[in-house]
């Protein structure tokens, strides 16, 4: 049985109200004046990466597919809209049978992106596409922000595993999505059981300071934990005196103790001291796990420390300073009439303040240099150049309303690792800089 097929009790029965009021009022006006059925193309992109970031990471695509499938206006939802007079009866009748029947193309989950990359393209009637704006953006902006932070942390950690442990620092449902996105970005496990249940992510955890404080002596707490979980467990050694705790931990668990966790203090200094002490006590194989408000910079600073794994919470689930990717959902083309054969006309917002967009239904490809390293993100609206035909990035996700590209989460995780490896080496630098490759328009 696949746990992801079961859903969670916290899942809502419909995603239809994960939208803004004006999506429905636009629909009402379009139905009234006859433009609702015009064939339309919407694209999701960001005009810029968060300051200092060299690349973005697309995450949440799988959740978007679930949300689109579950975008249904059931009786309770329709009654809410009627009571609040959000839309008129004609619109309510139209919503009652709403099913997205169009096509969705996009970058596959885990792929990297850059300013202007059309990471998602939604095609169908204006009416059915416009309603999806808010839920799509809420998922992609959140999950991609977490995945980008996770990717930077994974780069800084190298081969050392990363544990996602931020459930206490965000909304309970956002925590599940954050764990999923972190896994795509390179984390190896989570402390959140809901994420493990929903998405099959490995879960880990042993004890907190409260368990030590519960007992009269630290030794008693360690003895109880080892008796229950075995000598391979991880003992938390910074409740009182670290050196004394390490000594007690080895006495209780033996030299086969699995790991010790350090959650406070000067982690670089303490890790070196603990490693030396463990080795002197004969526990050379006991691993050291560090936590305590880590981010990618703190992880990088511990690269030379004898640390075996990192646990990250607050900074991860808040995007390490950038909790959104500023993605937008813009109409880029629409038909001249409701006639299915009417040609598409490029449309674009023209305004000051850096909020302009480029009209037209777009393709995207990544050009490589002679060594197979990415050198440019190429975005165009016309024919795809022959040299880029096999480097196109968008794949079909939904065809005529049916999801056609659902995939295991590990596939997205592997894809991201490969995509990041295909970027110039400077992509993993934590110093501030411009996107690692430029976006060119063809």
């Amino acid at each position: 049985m696949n746990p992801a097929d079961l859903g969670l009790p916290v899942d809502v029965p419909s995603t239809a109200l994960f939208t803004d009021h004006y999506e429905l009022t636009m629909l009402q006006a379009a139905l009234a004046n006859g433009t609702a059925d015009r064939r339309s193309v919407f694209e999701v992109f960001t005009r810029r990466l968060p300051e200092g970031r060299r690349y973005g990471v697309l995450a949440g695509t799988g959740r978007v597919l679930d949300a689109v499938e579950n975008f249904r206006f059931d009786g309770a939802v329709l009654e809410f809209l009627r009571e609040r007079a959000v839309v008129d009866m004609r619109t309510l009748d139209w919503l009652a049978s709403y099913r997205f029947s169009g096509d969705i193309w996009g970058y596959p989950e885990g792929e990297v992106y850059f300013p202007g990359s059309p990471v998602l393209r939604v095609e169908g009637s204006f009416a059915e596409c416009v309603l999806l704006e808010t839920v799509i953006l809420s998922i992609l902006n959140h999950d991609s922000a977490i995945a980008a932070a996770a990717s930077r942390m994974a780069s800084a950690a190298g081969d050392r595993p990363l544990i996602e442990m931020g459930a206490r620092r965000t909304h309970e449902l956002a925590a599940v999505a954050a764990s999923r996105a972190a896994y795509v970005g390179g984390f190896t496990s989570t402390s959140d059981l809901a994420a493990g249940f929903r998405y099959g992510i490995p879960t880990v955890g042993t004890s907190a300071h409260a368990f030590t404080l519960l007992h009269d002596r630290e030794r008693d707490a360690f003895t109880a934990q080892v008796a229950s979980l075995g000598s391979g467990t991880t003992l938390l050694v910074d409740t009182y005196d670290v050196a004394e705790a390490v000594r007690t931990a080895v006495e209780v668990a033996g030299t086969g103790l699995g790991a010790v966790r350090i959650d406070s203090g000067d982690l670089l200094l303490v890790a070196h001291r603990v490693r030396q002490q463990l080795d002197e006590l004969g526990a050379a194989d006991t691993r050291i796990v560090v936590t305590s408000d880590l981010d990618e910079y703190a992880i990088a600073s511990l690269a030379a420390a004898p640390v075996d794994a990192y646990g990250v919470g607050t900074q991860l689930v808040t995007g390490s300073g950038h909790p959104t990717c500023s993605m937008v959902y813009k109409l880029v083309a629409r038909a001249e009439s409701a006639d299915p054969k009417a040609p598409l006309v490029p449309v674009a917002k023209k305004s000051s303040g850096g909020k302009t967009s480029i009209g037209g239904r777009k393709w995207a490809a990544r050009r490589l240099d002679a060594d197979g390293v990415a050198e440019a993100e190429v975005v165009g609206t016309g024919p795809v150049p022959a040299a880029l035909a096999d480097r196109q990035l968008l794949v079909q996700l939904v065809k005529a309303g049916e999801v056609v590209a659902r995939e295991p989460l590990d596939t997205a995780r592997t894809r991201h690792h490969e995509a990041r490896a295909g970027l110039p080496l400077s992509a993993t630098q934590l110093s501030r800089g411009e996107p690692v490759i430029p976006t060119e328009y063809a």
Side-chain angles (χ1 to χ4, degrees):
M1 179 179 64
N2 182 0
D5 294 335
L6 297 177
L8 273 178
V10 292
D11 282 350
V12 294
S14 169
T15 54
L17 290 185
F18 289 172
T19 191
D20 288 306
H21 188 116
Y22 76 172
E23 311 290 8
L24 298 188
T25 54
M26 281 192 288
L27 170 64
Q28 177 177 307
L31 288 171
N33 79 347
T35 55
D37 290 331
R38 286 190 177 187
R39 191 159 53 99
S40 299
V41 180
F42 286 82
E43 289 176 352
V44 176
F45 62 94
T46 185
R47 296 184 176 95
R48 64 191 65 84
L49 298 179
E51 184 180 359
R53 296 288 169 90
R54 305 298 182 90
Y55 60 93
V57 181
L58 182 67
T61 307
R63 296 208 307 121
V64 165
L65 298 180
D66 292 341
V68 171
E69 278 190 331
N70 208 30
F71 205 90
R72 304 283 188 271
F73 292 83
D74 59 23
V77 169
L78 292 169
E79 181 60 20
F80 164 78
L81 297 174
R82 187 193 65 77
E83 289 179 350
R84 298 295 180 92
V86 175
V87 290
D88 60 20
M89 288 304 300
R90 176 185 179 182
T91 306
L92 290 174
D93 290 341
W94 189 92
L95 292 172
S97 60
Y98 177 86
R99 300 290 186 274
F100 180 74
S101 62
D103 299 333
I104 298 178
W105 293 70
Y107 283 34
E109 188 161 17
E111 184 58 84
V112 296
Y113 69 86
F114 299 91
S117 296
V119 296
L120 201 73
R121 190 175 72 220
V122 182
E123 305 180 26
S125 71
F126 175 83
E128 62 181 340
C129 294
V130 73
L131 296 182
L132 300 177
E133 175 180 5
T134 303
V135 69
I136 286 176
L137 289 180
S138 66
I139 292 172
L140 294 185
N141 269 313
H142 173 269
D143 290 22
S144 297
I146 306 305
S151 179
R152 285 161 61 86
M153 293 173 188
S155 292
D159 294 331
R160 297 171 178 176
L162 290 157
I163 307 164
E164 184 280 312
M165 43 198 309
R168 304 177 186 188
R169 299 294 185 262
T170 188
H171 185 279
E172 66 272 19
L173 300 187
V176 182
S179 180
R180 182 187 184 281
Y183 190 69
V184 171
F187 275 59
T188 55
S189 58
T190 178
S191 66
D192 192 308
L193 288 174
F197 177 79
R198 179 68 181 85
Y199 297 114
I201 302 169
T203 60
V204 297
T206 50
S207 68
H209 294 101
F211 188 75
T212 300
L213 295 170
L214 170 68
H215 294 80
D216 296 332
R217 299 183 305 163
E218 192 170 45
R219 178 181 293 274
D220 295 338
F222 289 173
T223 300
Q225 184 175 327
V226 170
S228 177
L229 302 178
S231 61
T233 191
T234 299
L235 295 176
L236 182 58
V237 295
D238 73 329
T239 305
Y240 305 119
D241 179 82
V242 173
E244 181 61 29
V246 170
R247 186 178 302 108
T248 302
V250 175
E251 289 176 359
V252 169
T255 56
L257 173 63
V260 296
R261 179 162 74 95
I262 306 166
D263 189 51
S264 59
D266 183 335
L267 297 178
L268 179 61
L269 176 62
V270 175
H272 277 288
R273 288 178 174 175
V274 168
R275 181 74 271 159
Q276 180 179 353
Q277 185 181 10
L278 287 169
D279 291 346
E280 291 173 350
L281 293 170
D285 293 329
T286 298
R287 296 174 295 111
I288 296 175
V289 180
V290 296
T291 52
S292 185
D293 292 326
L294 298 176
D295 62 10
E296 60 265 49
Y297 301 101
I299 292 170
S301 73
L302 293 168
V307 172
D308 297 286
Y310 306 93
V312 189
T314 303
Q315 291 301 317
L316 175 65
V317 299
T318 57
S320 196
H322 297 290
T324 182
C325 303
S326 298
M327 290 181 179
V328 294
Y329 183 95
K330 295 299 180 183
L331 181 65
V332 297
R334 51 84 176 168
E336 295 178 328
S337 70
D339 184 344
K341 297 180 180 180
L344 287 173
V345 178
V347 295
K349 178 180 179 180
K350 303 295 183 183
S351 65
S352 60
K355 286 194 171 184
T356 59
S357 56
I358 298 174
R361 182 179 184 272
K362 298 175 193 66
W363 53 264
R366 190 160 300 144
R367 191 174 69 239
L368 309 181
D369 65 16
D371 296 318
V373 178
E375 65 176 11
E377 191 90 337
V378 186
V379 177
T381 57
V384 180
L388 296 175
D390 62 349
R391 299 298 308 168
Q392 293 189 71
L393 292 163
L394 280 82
V395 298
Q396 188 155 27
L397 304 171
V398 175
K399 183 177 182 179
E402 298 295 324
V403 174
V404 295
R406 191 169 271 113
E407 61 186 11
L409 193 57
D410 279 318
T411 299
R413 173 183 166 83
T414 300
R415 179 181 295 116
H416 174 62
H417 179 78
E418 294 172 349
R420 189 179 64 202
L423 297 176
L425 287 175
S426 57
T428 59
Q429 291 178 343
L430 297 181
S431 57
R432 294 186 180 276
E434 296 299 314
V436 70
I437 61 174
T439 302
E440 299 177 358
Y441 291 93

